[in-house]
Every structure is written in structure tokens, then in C-alpha cells.
Amino acid sequence: MIRPLEHIVIPIGLIVVGGLLGWSFFLAVTGEAGDRLASVALARVPDSGVSNPVTSVLLNFRAYDTLLELAVLLSALLGIWSLGAAGPGFQPAASILDGMVAGFVPLLILSAGYMLWVGAYAPGGAFQAGALLGAAGVMLALAGHRNAGLPCESRLRLLVALGVFVFAMTGLLLMVLGDGFLTYPPGLAKWLILIIETAATLAIGATLAAAYLGGRPAAHPTSGETA
Amino acid sequence: MTDQLLYAQLLYGGSGIILVLLGLWSFLVHAPLLRKLIAINVMGAGVFLILVAIAYRGIDTPPDPIPHALVLTGIVVAVSATALALAFGKRLDQDAEPE
């Protein structure tokens, strides 16, 4: 049976919307290139303390954007925790998976460190590194570690707030010193970005792994399950 | 602008638009929460594809870093929104069971 709304009205509406989107996209890419932000951003990359343009936009030119992004991540996790405790989701893994996890988790942590460092001059950075750490946590959770390798709740709370805290404190400190919120002095920019990115990596990794658990983690992880 | 650059941009941007439309259709038509959630994520992937296509400037020039940074931001927001929505859905299911 044909339902008119589902099979006629919505598809036709979507085709019209798609045509408009495609047309405006075509005009956007073929149109006369006016003053683009890209040239301004690329010209200032050498002043930003890092040589990777994407990192310099994320951590310097648009740093407050990234700060708020970390806040979004944190508030999503607080929302998840407010819904109750995490269920005992997984059985202890078979020995083959356990052995694989034992090999892969250190590799993931190592790659996260590399990603964090390489972000200054090539694709990489805090979010990619944090995603790798989060993946390590998810692997541990799948292999039956009840807390996904995360520390006990009080320390975990410090860890997930670390990114926003270090970021905001750096900004406020610079403001007190007279440079303006998150306006790095040129000589220090590289180190400030590295400090912020390290804190953000740890916070993002912990937040992603904790979000995967789907609730507040156990207050006292039983011995042998803290990795 | 060379033809090759234009074709690449239209190919990626067009695929992005198709993903947005497919996601929007599924979001409007299917009732289950999980399907709506997947539909939103497909739409998000389409938007990222459009942004990456806009950032592309050919092999010789570096891509526009600003849409790239927006995509990174968007991925993080999409992941956290999905996690929160899944947790809400799980809790709704838990509370519905005893009835």
C-alpha cells in the first residue's frame, strides 16, 4: 500500500531540497573567489607556534571554539552520568581476545602520544590522539574490564575536567597578564599549545571511554580490573 | 579553476548532499529512536563531506584549514550527542521494561 506522505510528499520535497542544495553548492565552487579567510589564516600560520594550518586554527586563531567543544564533550558525559550507573555490560573475554588487547592497548597509547606530538606540523593533534586513547578504553571494556581501564570516580572526575580546566586557566592567566583571553605571546605559543593539547588529549580519551560505558563507572573498581 | 578540481569538488560535494538527503528521509520516515539516531549521523557525515569538498583547492595548493577545523569540531560534537542520545534511549528502555 502506498502511503502518500511517506512515499510521495517527502521524497518529492527532498528532491527539491537536494536540487537547491546542489545548485547552491555548484554556484559556491564555481563562483568568483572573493576574499577568503583561508588566505588570511594561511598567511598567519608561521606566527601561531605550530606549522600545521588545521592545528593553528583549532588551537590559536579559533581557540575559544575548541574550548567550548571540550565543554560540549564534558556536558554530554555529565548528562550520561546523570542517568545512572553503568551496567555490568560484558563478560570476561576469552584468552585470545585478552592477549590481543594486552598487545594493542600499549600500541594505541603509544600512537596517541605520537599523534599528539605530530599535530604541530602534520595532520594530528589532541582530538585524534584522544580518539585513540578512547579506542584503547573501549577495547578494554569489550575485553571485560568493567571500568575500561579508567581510574576510580573521584580521579576520573578530575581527569575529564582537565581539558576545559587547563584551557580556561591558560586563557584567564593570559588575560590577567594583559594579552587578552587565549592570545598567546609569540615566543610561548608553541609550549602553551602543547600543554593545552596534552591536557585535552587525556580529557578527550577519558571522556570517550567513560561515555562508552554508558553511565557512572563503579566507585571502587575491584582489584585486578584497573589497567 | 581547472576542470579536474571542479569535478572532484562536485563529486564529493554531490555525494555529501545525497547522504544528507538519505539521512533526512530516514529521519522523517522511520519511528525507532535508534534508526533516527543513525539517520542523524548519516546526515552529519554528508555535511562533513560537503565541508571537506569546499576546503579542497587542488593538489598544488594547501586545503582551506577553516572548514577542516570545523569538521574536527563537528565530529566531536556528533560523537558526544550520539553518546548522550544512546544513554537516554537505554534509560528509556530500562524504565519501560517493568510495566
Side-chain angles (χ1 to χ4, degrees):
Chain A
M1 190 187 114
I2 289 186
R3 277 166 290 181
L5 182 68
E6 188 177 319
H7 291 114
I8 299 170
V9 178
I10 291 179
I12 290 179
L14 286 178
I15 289 170
V16 172
V17 170
L20 283 174
L21 276 177
W23 184 49
S24 45
F25 182 77
F26 180 77
L27 289 184
V29 294
T30 53
E32 199 61 37
D35 283 340
R36 288 185 192 272
L37 271 176
S39 47
V40 183
L42 286 172
R44 295 294 304 274
V45 163
D47 304 336
S48 70
V50 288
S51 57
N52 177 16
V54 176
T55 304
S56 66
V57 169
L58 275 178
L59 267 302
N60 198 335
F61 308 146
R62 292 274 173 196
Y64 55 87
D65 212 87
T66 311
L67 169 63
L68 293 177
E69 192 178 339
L70 292 174
V72 167
L73 208 58
L74 183 61
S75 44
L77 184 68
L78 293 181
I80 290 169
W81 280 358
S82 71
L83 294 171
F90 303 100
Q91 303 292 321
S95 53
I96 293 180
L97 179 59
D98 237 7
M100 201 189 83
V101 167
F104 265 100
V105 166
L107 273 182
L108 278 171
I109 293 172
L110 200 65
S111 328
Y114 172 72
M115 273 289 177
L116 173 64
W117 181 253
V118 88
Y121 49 88
F127 289 101
Q128 290 87 333
L132 286 176
L133 283 185
V138 171
M139 277 189 94
L140 283 173
L142 286 175
H145 293 258
R146 195 163 172 183
N147 265 9
L150 295 167
C152 67
E153 196 183 334
S154 51
R155 275 190 233 164
L156 183 59
R157 282 182 189 274
L158 288 180
L159 196 59
V160 296
L162 190 69
V164 176
F165 180 76
V166 170
F167 215 139
M169 277 302 137
T170 312
L172 288 177
L173 201 65
L174 288 170
M175 202 164 81
V176 169
L177 294 177
D179 275 324
F181 188 67
L182 286 174
T183 309
Y184 313 125
L188 279 176
K190 184 185 174 185
W191 299 106
L192 289 176
I193 288 178
L194 189 64
I195 289 170
I196 291 173
E197 285 219 281
T198 310
T201 300
L202 292 174
I204 292 166
T207 310
L208 291 178
Y212 178 77
L213 292 177
R216 250 184 299 106
H220 301 289
T222 45
S223 60
E225 287 184 344
T226 48
Chain B
M1 172 165 309
T2 62
D3 274 353
Q4 210 177 1
L5 169 59
L6 184 63
Y7 290 146
Q9 277 192 321
L10 288 181
L11 181 66
Y12 281 91
S15 321
I17 290 172
I18 290 172
L19 278 184
V20 169
L21 295 178
L22 284 175
L24 193 58
W25 180 77
S26 190
F27 181 77
L28 291 174
V29 167
H30 294 123
L33 186 69
L34 196 59
R35 293 191 76 158
K36 284 193 190 294
L37 201 52
I38 294 172
I40 290 181
N41 274 292
V42 170
M43 279 174 76
V47 172
F48 299 151
L49 210 50
I50 296 172
L51 281 174
V52 169
I54 286 178
Y56 184 60
R57 291 274 176 274
I59 293 173
D60 306 327
T61 26
D64 189 340
I66 292 155
H68 272 227
L70 280 180
V71 171
L72 273 176
T73 306
I75 290 171
V76 173
V77 173
V79 165
S80 36
T82 307
L84 184 58
L86 280 174
F88 277 138
K90 198 175 112 191
R91 184 61 198 268
L92 279 173
D93 274 357
Q94 269 175 11
D95 287 359
E97 264 167 21
E99 309 284 322

